[in-house]
Amino acid sequence: MSRLSLALVVLVLTGLVGPPPTPAAAVPAYEAPVPGAVLRPFIEPAHPYGPGHRGVDLVARRGDPVHAAAGGEVTFAGSVAGSRWVSVRHGDGIVTSYGALDAVHVRAGDVVTRGEAIGTATGSHGDDVLRPEPGLHWSARRGETYIDPLGLLDAPLPRPTLVGPGGWAGTHPTVEPFEPYPGGARLFIMATPSRVAERPGYARPPNHHHLLQVPGYGTEGPHPVLDPDKLGYGPDDTSVFSYRGCDPTPDGCDPRPYGGQDTDLSIDEAAALLEAQLRALQAAQPHRPVDLLGHSMGGDVITHYLTYHHDPTDLGLPPVVNLISAGTPHGGSGTASLLRGIGDNPISGNILELGRLGADAFGLEGAGRVSLGSQPLERYGVPVWGDRPARDPDRLAELGIRVLEIAGSRDLVVGRIDAGSVGDALVLPGGHSSVLETEAMYETVYRFLDDQPLPAHDRRVGWGSDAASDATRTLATLLELDPVRGVTKALAKGDGRRVVWEIAKEVAPGPSSGTGGPPDTAEHPMAPDAALTPVS
């Protein structure tokens, strides 16, 4: 074929098929703008103007560099309502936004590459200047519709989960939550049972707050009341109170190790330690809201602090939003009342205290953790009809704090009524400590912190623990009666004649001095110091 013929063929084919097609734009690969964990997830609104969370909040501190999630063109770089923001349009048409930024390194019209620094974070954002939300807000929209930016990532965003590194991305958690606890009763008075929470529960926390847990009397730690992993919390999302204080760190506060004997302190001393730990959290995570969870005496430490020490106008303290107490003796404890009565009794108190010290000397684990003369036992060892530990539920309402009080259906230490500062507490299956191990506990706590409806409350459940608490109070009261105390005192001294005298002066007084007071021991024939006379 001649060159001319070949040229004609090429021209004809070119005219028929046209120029070769332009390759389609490649879908960009996305990466997280900061390496921090998720503080608050994406919540899709029900309609365009409905409530929700149109993005995710990621852990970021002031000065941390913020990177473009993918290559594209900067469409906005400026201030919105006093805060600096940057928006980037990517090759697939998606627009991502980043804020609030402390400094902006780009201008509108700039072309950026994936991972390029577009500014630095402020570490907080939101409309409330005094109490903004922590972290960096990162959003993505396709057209006018907001989507979950975590769903754009090729790999899950690094975050602590219950299934090892990763394992969760976007709105598709791989961890199946616990079954909702129905509440109610079985066999009329028994709480609906719930199995021990051994499997994973939640892949993300119920909210973006920090959870501070306060254990109870006689504990050793710091060990959390509830396993934070089962509630989806990460390392920076939760901490544990220490009865020996804590050392401030960049992330909050490092609680010092403590033993059971360290919990034997006054309620005001514990409240002061709690306030110091809250101040350390505020310094490390400014204005991040805090939820407080306490078990047994720990719940009363929290309540006492909030009632008498907390100042919501103090910017050195974080805002407290939610309070959960489990097995907390707001109304005293029948068991503590009995232990105090036993401790005050000359015979039983000495025997038990010697036995405790002996077991501790022989190295029996935990034997020396609880003392019968401790301040907490004095505080809670009061009759139900007498003085109760000081608390003011109305104060919590004034502070705007949401409160959930929980009691164990088989709790023989703190009854249902005593565990509730106003009326009855919500009863869940379990004893004083075993109630903390159930799926019902984790699921109920998660529901409350996520502002979901709580399980049904049946007032028939838990009356048995109330009856046991009242019975121990009654026994403690008997130990406090003068005849019993007189007998045991005499027996402790080994004086049998005094035993008779201590009983006789209560039930059959002798000659009186005329003042209505106790009998005159010098005239009474059964007085220990009276002269012995022949019996006719």
Side-chain angles (χ1 to χ4, degrees):
M1 182 180 296
S2 65
R3 293 181 179 179
L4 179 60
S5 300
L6 180 60
L8 290 174
V9 171
V10 172
L11 288 174
V12 171
L13 292 177
T14 302
L16 291 175
V17 301
T22 303
V27 177
Y30 288 84
E31 66 179 26
V34 292
V38 176
L39 285 173
R40 188 179 178 190
F42 174 82
I43 302 175
E44 184 176 5
H47 53 83
Y49 303 102
H53 189 236
R54 296 166 173 82
V56 295
D57 296 343
L58 307 177
V59 171
R61 299 178 178 83
R62 179 179 292 275
D64 287 352
V66 178
H67 308 278
E73 180 184 354
V74 177
T75 59
F76 178 83
S79 296
V80 178
S83 300
R84 299 182 181 92
W85 292 77
V86 168
S87 297
V88 179
R89 182 182 300 278
H90 308 286
D92 55 1
I94 292 177
V95 176
T96 56
S97 298
Y98 316 79
L101 300 179
D102 189 44
V104 175
H105 300 336
V106 294
R107 297 180 180 180
D110 289 351
V111 176
V112 295
T113 60
R114 184 180 72 165
E116 181 177 340
I118 58 176
T120 57
T122 62
S124 60
H125 66 283
D127 299 329
D128 192 337
V129 177
L130 292 180
R131 302 194 186 280
E133 298 186 38
L136 172 78
H137 184 79
W138 178 40
S139 66
R141 58 185 173 88
R142 183 180 286 112
E144 298 300 321
T145 303
Y146 282 89
I147 61 175
D148 189 345
L150 298 183
L152 303 173
L153 302 178
D154 294 334
L157 186 66
R159 56 166 285 123
T161 70
L162 310 182
V163 292
W168 181 88
T171 56
H172 306 287
T174 60
V175 177
E176 182 181 356
F178 297 125
E179 291 294 330
Y181 181 68
R186 288 188 179 179
L187 301 177
F188 302 106
I189 59 174
M190 301 298 293
T192 303
S194 176
R195 59 185 177 183
V196 174
E198 295 178 341
R199 64 185 180 85
Y202 302 96
R204 63 189 185 191
N207 54 42
H208 65 285
H209 305 168
H210 185 97
L211 178 67
L212 176 56
Q213 305 191 53
V214 183
Y217 177 65
T219 58
E220 296 179 351
H223 296 299
V225 176
L226 297 180
D227 185 349
D229 287 343
K230 291 187 174 69
L231 293 171
Y233 287 99
D236 294 337
D237 301 331
T238 181
S239 55
V240 182
F241 171 78
S242 170
Y243 285 92
R244 289 188 62 243
C246 64
D247 300 312
T249 66
D251 297 327
C253 199
D254 185 17
R256 298 167 186 156
Y258 69 89
Q261 68 279 2
D262 295 312
T263 65
D264 189 5
L265 73 176
S266 71
I267 196 72
D268 285 298
E269 291 172 329
L273 291 174
L274 177 59
E275 178 177 343
Q277 192 157 340
L278 287 171
R279 290 190 180 278
L281 277 176
Q282 171 72 345
Q285 305 176 23
H287 307 298
R288 184 178 185 181
V290 171
D291 297 332
L292 297 172
L293 167 64
H295 174 239
S296 194
M297 188 182 80
D300 200 58
V301 171
I302 296 172
T303 305
H304 189 87
Y305 161 74
L306 293 174
T307 301
Y308 300 105
H309 296 262
H310 185 66
D311 181 4
T313 65
D314 188 344
L315 294 181
L317 293 168
V320 178
V321 180
N322 297 304
L323 163 61
I324 301 175
S325 64
T328 294
H330 293 296
S333 166
T335 299
S337 178
L338 178 60
L339 290 176
R340 190 184 73 163
I342 293 174
D344 289 343
N345 189 283
I347 292 180
S348 60
N350 287 334
I351 291 175
L352 290 182
E353 193 69 14
L354 287 173
R356 183 188 68 82
L357 295 175
D360 188 42
F362 281 100
L364 185 62
E365 183 177 0
R369 290 188 301 176
V370 179
S371 171
L372 294 177
S374 68
Q375 291 200 46
L377 286 183
E378 286 295 320
R379 177 178 174 79
Y380 298 119
V382 292
V384 68
W385 51 83
D387 296 331
R388 291 184 173 181
R391 70 207 188 278
D392 187 357
D394 294 336
R395 171 61 174 166
L396 301 180
E398 293 173 1
L399 294 173
I401 297 175
R402 298 174 64 242
V403 180
L404 172 62
E405 295 167 335
I406 298 174
S409 61
R410 304 186 303 275
D411 191 340
L412 301 181
V413 178
V414 181
R416 169 196 53 176
I417 296 177
D418 290 333
S421 58
V422 181
D424 296 347
L426 176 64
V427 179
L428 298 178
H432 188 63
S433 296
S434 61
V435 69
L436 303 174
E437 304 170 356
T438 63
E439 289 189 2
M441 171 63 75
Y442 283 92
E443 197 271 336
T444 300
V445 168
Y446 195 95
R447 268 204 236 181
F448 176 75
L449 295 178
D450 196 28
D451 202 14
Q452 300 179 25
L454 296 179
H457 181 69
D458 193 326
R459 292 184 177 274
R460 296 173 298 177
V461 177
W463 71 268
S465 64
D466 288 338
S469 182
D470 290 341
T472 52
R473 280 196 177 94
T474 301
L475 183 57
T477 303
L478 292 175
L479 290 174
E480 293 290 328
L481 294 178
D482 285 343
V484 177
R485 293 175 64 85
V487 170
T488 53
K489 284 181 180 179
L491 290 174
K493 292 182 178 181
D495 187 348
R497 192 176 182 193
R498 183 174 294 276
V499 173
V500 180
W501 162 246
E502 294 289 349
I503 297 176
K505 75 175 183 178
E506 291 290 333
V507 298
S512 173
S513 60
T515 60
D520 187 348
T521 57
E523 299 178 4
H524 200 287
M526 295 184 65
D529 298 330
L532 293 178
T533 58
V535 178
S536 60

